[in-house]
Structures are given as structure tokens and as C-alpha cells.
Amino acid sequence: MIPTERVLISEELRDRFAQANNVLVLTGAGISAESGVPTFRGGGNTTVWKGMPFDVISSAGMLARDLPAVWEWFNYRRGLLGALKPNSAHEAIALWQTRFQDLTLVTQNIDGLHQAAGSRNVVELHGNIWRARCFDCGSRHDVRELKSDTLVPVCFDCGGNLRPDVVLFGEMLPAGAFESAAMKAQTCDLCFVIGTSAVVYPAASIPEIARAAGAHVVEVNPEHTALSDMCDEVVIGKAGEVLPMLG
Ligand code: OAD
């Protein structure tokens, strides 16, 4: 009989988890995988839409060339996300808000599932798919409140064209988001890196900053990643199974 794989949480991690005050959590697409959100990489797959790799359709170049196509792609993604619910990993992290003196949740995800699970003050490095931003006046709108007969919705405030309020390839991160995450990374005592392939910078540098400043860095992922070697501990397993085991 083939033994079933068991997730192992070390005694050291249990102790550190029990004693930690300042905790920083960096999440990526993998934390939403058990909710049904497809990851970008991993498992040998790379997302392709209408023959275009996601880093082409989700790029600043495409925004300049074909704004309607970018909206179509994000409308398609929102259509997939609309029915999905947070999973036990999102819920576990939402509970950590009351457990630790200081919890900073930094996500690369744009799906809004951390907030749906009850997490507050989420640092969104790559924006949010449920928001649109005006090219002209910069104001932000909830996409669910937009009514538009055209593929490209317009701003309530000034009538300018809106774009998805997400970071595209070739664009800068929202002002202040990375800086506030990096500052917290310098003072945390425990840092979790959950469900990210850790190949997209500067997000991937956050655990590196935490490690350099002396934090205990723990990766949770069913696979090894580019960051595994620098982590103090790698818990091989699915986030939805591992995080509830921590308490
Ligand atoms: P990736 O798709 O690159 O990586 C997903 C990671 O999740 C992989 O390492 C998988 O092994 C892991 N994974 C899969 N299932 C999991 C589970 N149940 N529990 C835990 N981990 C699991 O996603 P990201 O690292 O988030 O940027 O990608 C980073 C950025 O690349 C994204 O934010 C996006 C993309 O380009 C922008 O759109 C700007």
C-alpha cells in the first residue's frame, strides 16, 4: 500500500508561531488555488488566453495598443472569480489578525479573496480586479457599479476612459505599497511565504528583506520554488491544509 503523504509542521515552527508578535505574510496565486483560481505558473502550466501568454495580454504595451482587449481579458477573469469563495487558508490568515500583536498581510493577488475572508488593511501589491481607475483623473471605482454600453467603461467623475486598477507587466507598483511591505519585513519576527513561485520582483524580495533582518522565514507550497533555499523552513503542502494546522 502506498502511504498517504502527510504535512509535517516542525516543533520549532509551532514554538515560533506561539511566541511571535510581529508576523508578515506574503501570498501569491497558490493560496487561491483551492478556491478554484488558476495559478499563473507551477504544475507545468502557463496561462494562455486567445493564444496570448498572460504576460502579453496583461501588459502595459497591450493597454496602449488595445484597451478593449485588456478589458475583455479582465472581464473574462472576473467572470471566473465572481462565483468563488475564500478557502480555509484565507480564513486562517483572517483569524491571525486577532492572534498576533501585529499582522501584515501582503498579497500579489488581485482576486479580493483575502478581504472576502475578513482580512483588513491588505497590502495589495498588484492592485485589485474589482476596481477600475481613470486614465485622466485617477479616481477609482468599483467595477460592479459601472454601467457601460461599450467595452471600455468611462469615469463617473470626468468621463475619461477607465482601465483595470491592476499592475500590468511593464508598470510600476502602486505608490507606497512595496515600501510599506518592505518596512514591515524589516521588523517582523516570523515571515510566511505562501503560494507564490517567487519569481516576480519586487514582491519576491520581501521575504529576502525579512530574512536579512533576522526573521524566521517559512515557505508553504506544494512545490519547491526559487526562494526555498533561503527559507529557514519549507512546509511542503497545500495552503488550505497547512495553515489551519498551525492554529
Ligand atoms: P504563480 O502562478 O507564479 O505561482 C503559484 C505558486 O503557488 C506555485 O509555486 C505553486 O506551486 C503554488 N501553489 C499551487 N497550489 C497551491 C496550494 N494549494 N497552496 C499553496 N501553494 C500552491 O503565482 P504568483 O507567484 O502569485 O502578477 O505570481 C506572481 C505574479 O505573477 C502575479 O501576481 C501576477 C503574475 O504575473 C501580475 O499580474 C502583476
Side-chain angles (χ1 to χ4, degrees), residues 28-31 33-34 39-42 54 108-109 126 167 169 195-198 200 220-223 225 237-239:
I31 198 165
E34 289 156 87
T39 58
F40 298 94
R41 311 171 186 86
F54 70 89
Q108 299 166 83
N109 298 345
H126 295 161
V167 176
F169 282 89
T196 175
S197 57
V200 174
V220 179
N221 199 308
E223 296 176 15
T225 73
K238 294 180 176 178

Side-chain angles (χ1 to χ4, degrees), residues 6 22 27 54 85 96 128 132 162 173-174 185 192 218 220-221 227-228 231 234 237 242:
R6 279 187 53 225
N22 292 349
T27 65
F54 70 89
K85 302 269 178 286
W96 292 359
N128 191 308
L162 295 176
L173 266 52
F192 284 97
V218 181
V220 179
N221 199 308
L227 220 59
S228 301
C231 291
V234 177
V242 174

